[in-house]
Structure formats: structure tokens, C-alpha cells
Amino acid sequence: MAVHSWTLPVFFATITGMVMYNSSIADTERIRLIRRSGIIALFGNLTLAVVKFVLAKTSGSLAVMGDSIDSMTDVGIALMTIIVSRIINRPGDKEHPWGHGRAETTATMVLSFIIFFAGSQFAVSSIRHIIDKSYSSMVSFYAVLAALISIAGKSLLTISQHTLGKRSGSTMVLANAQNMKGDIIMSSGVLVGILSASVFHCPVLDPITALLVSCWVIKNAVKLFAEMNTELMDGNPDEGIYKTMFDAVMSVKGVSNPHRARIRKIASHWDIDLDIEVDAEMTVHNAHEITSRVEKSVRTAIPDVYDIMVHVEPAGHSGHHEKEQFGLRESDVDSAEEMTEETIERAETNQREHHNKKKT
């Protein structure tokens, strides 16, 4: 099971009303599509897991048994999708002002431990079979059949998950489609291992293939844990979204020096904090109007925004604080050449505006 970065969707009421997603469909419709994808994945993987388990027992193939265990972990993911989707649908409240999106992160982290345990146990079992030479001396037709069924079934699941992921705009469902693609590759590897054992009359290749499958499962569990740990710690290694945000902010007339920007992820949404500077002589009303335009510009550039907190400072005031907590500036995500061109262009614009202001 290739578990990639994925998240379950969450939606809450924002200061501008209910957030609409890329697909511009209602939240209830989006949830319906996500639950449908979870049900299809649940019964599809459960069917594959049972079929592969029966054929693994019939053929005595450890590699097929490993593939069956992998499908059972997919069943766990599908169950979690259905259950947690009901939790994250709840809006923010007094105890959870940022909503319930982190229920997904917590559940996914627990799942990573379960996947790691299953992979580790199967790895130990495969090594024991290799050492004791307690594996089948013949390659069964049922083992080949199991691998072919797995490849066909995972292909159909990939198509359904990708289609529903596109329609719902869910990053989790789309990531699960990628997960299914990884499963196709793994089942293909199992098929190659089984056929190689038959062609080269080397039955030990079957438990060796099973060991490789278990290593694949363990790797995915570790990767999944690392991704969820980053999210729980409010980390965000994606510089691209900061670049998009800064470009959106600077497209608003009257804004300068966006800084102390912090973006964190809550399920499939983004929570954004940043400081901007405006003319020191500007009225509070006008500064608020600019802030509203900044929020609108950012929401347009980054659709899945839960909330934006914009702090306004008078121009040139950013260095007057005794100490500020960490946040990113444009220079942290832009190249020096880009910053130079942008700085010159803004300086010329500000100079023209100042000149026109003096005339009036």
C-alpha cells in the first residue's frame, strides 16, 4: 500500500461566509462524494483482501499473503475516511475554535502505527520462513491468479477514486488514488516475483518478495507518520504557497512589506497570519478597507483558506518591535534577482504616488 501524503476534507464557517471549494459545489455534496469514495474503497479493498487471503492459503504463497495484509490496511484507511468525515464536518465551537479538522491528523497517525506493526510482523515472519526454508517448493497457479486479480481490482479502484477526487476537490481522495497506483506497482512486483520463482525454479524468491512487500509497507507507515507529525507541529515545508500568498498581497494597491507570514494546515484548509504596512497617515477606515482587499485577494489565489489574520502597521514600523515571533518574508521565498526587480518596480510606483499626492 503506497500511502502518500493525504488529508481528509474539513469545512467551517469563515468570516466571509461558508467556504466554497475549487469545484464550486455545496459542502453537503462534497461530503457525499467523499463518503461515496470511502464506501467504494472499503468494499473494494475488503473484497480484494478476502480473495487474496483465500488464494494465499490455497497456494501457500507468502508474497500473496503480504499483498492481502496490505489490502487490509487499505480497508482500515477506508473505514477511517468514513468515520472521521462525520467528525470533521462539525463547525468550530468554544472548545474547538479552529474546528475539528485535526481529528483526521490524529486518526491518521494512529493508523500509521497500525500499518507499521502489520508490516513489521510480516517482515519477521518472512525472514523466519527464509531461514527455516519453510516455504512451498512449487509455485501455484492460484498465486499468479491472486496477483492478476489484485492488479485489475486496484486499477478499477484507482479510476473511481481519481474521478470522485476530481469532482469533490478532495486532496485526500486524490491522494488515495495515488495510493492505489502504488498498490498496482506492488502487486505487479509480487507477480514478477512469483513468475521468477517459477521460471528460475527458485521458490525462495517467494518469501524474499514477501519480505520486500513488508519493507514497502513499513516505509509507507514511517512516511505517513512523518507527514502527520509535521502537520501536528504546524509545520509547512511548501514554499510555493507562501510565494502565491505574497504575490496576492502585493497585488493590492497601498500595501508594502508583507512580513511575519505564517501558514499552517488544518486538514485540507489553510490558516494564515501575516503583517502588512500601509501609509502611516492613512485613516483606520482606509487601512481596514485595504486589509479586506488583501484577504479577498489571498482567498482568490488560495481557495482552501479557513481564516486569515492580517495585522496592519504604519510603513517603516516593522523594525520598531522589541521582539517578534518568527514569520516569513518575501525574501525567504523569492530569489535575489526577483526581489531586486520587484523592489525597483514598487519603489518607482510609490514615488509616483507620493509625487501625485504632493500635487493635490
Side-chain angles (χ1 to χ4, degrees):
M1 179 195 60
V3 183
H4 297 283
S5 171
W6 53 270
T7 51
L8 296 171
V10 61
F11 26 82
F12 317 103
T14 68
I15 56 175
T16 57
M18 186 64 73
V19 176
M20 298 302 290
Y21 296 85
N22 289 333
S23 52
S24 299
I25 61 177
D27 287 341
T28 52
E29 174 67 7
R30 189 170 192 258
I31 277 291
R32 189 181 68 81
L33 291 173
I34 290 168
R35 286 178 180 165
R36 181 192 296 177
S37 72
I39 292 172
I40 291 174
L42 172 63
F43 287 101
N45 281 303
L46 184 60
T47 301
L48 287 175
V50 171
V51 169
K52 286 188 282 188
F53 179 81
V54 172
L55 292 177
K57 283 291 187 180
T58 304
S59 64
S61 172
L62 291 173
V64 174
M65 182 60 72
D67 206 3
S68 172
I69 293 174
D70 171 73
S71 290
M72 286 305 299
T73 59
D74 283 336
V75 172
I77 289 177
L79 278 172
M80 186 188 68
T81 302
I82 296 171
I83 295 171
V84 176
S85 66
R86 297 180 179 275
I87 298 174
I88 63 175
N89 189 27
R90 300 172 186 170
D93 54 38
K94 186 171 65 174
E95 294 181 352
H96 308 90
W98 277 279
H100 298 77
R102 288 291 165 85
E104 168 221 340
T105 311
T106 304
T108 305
M109 185 164 282
V110 171
L111 183 63
S112 70
F113 283 103
I114 297 173
I115 296 172
F116 181 86
F117 178 78
S120 299
Q121 289 297 306
F122 192 66
V124 171
S125 175
S126 300
I127 293 171
R128 186 181 297 118
H129 279 81
I130 293 172
I131 295 174
D132 297 341
K133 297 183 179 180
S134 54
Y135 44 82
S136 177
S137 59
M138 295 182 61
V139 177
S140 171
F141 163 76
Y142 294 108
V144 177
L145 179 62
L148 291 173
I149 290 175
S150 179
I151 293 171
K154 289 294 184 180
S155 297
L156 293 175
L157 285 173
T158 298
I159 294 172
S160 69
Q161 295 297 295
H162 186 268
T163 301
L164 291 172
K166 283 289 188 182
R167 288 180 60 189
S168 66
S170 169
T171 55
M172 182 281 298
V173 178
L174 289 173
N176 206 26
Q178 288 296 116
N179 165 37
M180 301 299 179
K181 289 181 182 179
D183 289 344
I184 294 172
I185 295 173
M186 192 187 72
S187 294
S188 299
V190 170
L191 179 62
V192 170
I194 294 171
L195 293 177
S196 297
S198 176
V199 171
F200 298 107
H201 304 288
C202 185
V204 73
L205 288 176
D206 181 64
I208 289 176
T209 302
L211 179 59
L212 294 175
V213 169
S214 63
C215 290
W216 174 282
V217 173
I218 292 171
K219 176 192 75 74
N220 288 326
V222 172
K223 182 180 179 183
L224 183 61
F225 174 83
E227 291 171 351
M228 294 303 100
N229 187 55
T230 299
E231 185 171 326
L232 277 177
M233 295 180 66
D234 290 331
N236 179 23
D238 182 12
E239 288 191 358
I241 194 167
Y242 278 99
K243 180 70 168 66
T244 301
M245 183 204 67
F246 282 128
D247 289 344
V249 171
M250 293 309 301
S251 68
V252 178
K253 186 178 179 181
V255 175
S256 63
N257 189 27
H259 60 283
R260 212 161 66 91
R262 289 174 288 194
I263 302 178
R264 63 174 177 166
K265 198 166 190 179
I266 304 176
S268 62
H269 281 69
W270 301 101
D271 184 54
I272 301 175
D273 297 332
L274 78 149
D275 293 359
I276 62 172
E277 293 184 5
V278 299
D279 189 339
E281 298 178 3
M282 185 176 291
T283 64
V284 174
H285 175 78
N286 290 339
H288 176 73
E289 289 295 317
I290 288 179
T291 300
S292 298
R293 289 198 292 269
V294 166
E295 290 183 4
K296 183 177 179 181
S297 179
V298 172
R299 287 183 184 276
T300 301
I302 307 173
D304 294 329
V305 172
Y306 167 60
D307 197 12
I308 309 174
M309 179 63 70
V310 182
H311 177 152
V312 180
E313 297 178 347
H317 188 74
S318 61
H320 293 178
H321 298 288
E322 290 185 6
K323 183 180 179 181
E324 285 189 327
Q325 296 301 325
F326 180 79
L328 274 69
R329 296 176 174 271
E330 278 189 286
S331 56
D332 294 323
V333 295
D334 279 335
S335 66
E337 184 179 349
E338 288 176 332
M339 283 299 297
T340 301
E341 292 176 355
E342 290 175 1
T343 301
I344 293 173
E345 183 179 347
R346 289 171 193 164
E348 291 175 348
T349 302
N350 291 336
Q351 189 176 21
R352 285 195 299 269
E353 290 178 353
H354 182 70
H355 181 69
N356 292 335
K357 187 175 180 182
K358 283 185 70 177
K359 278 187 174 180
T360 57

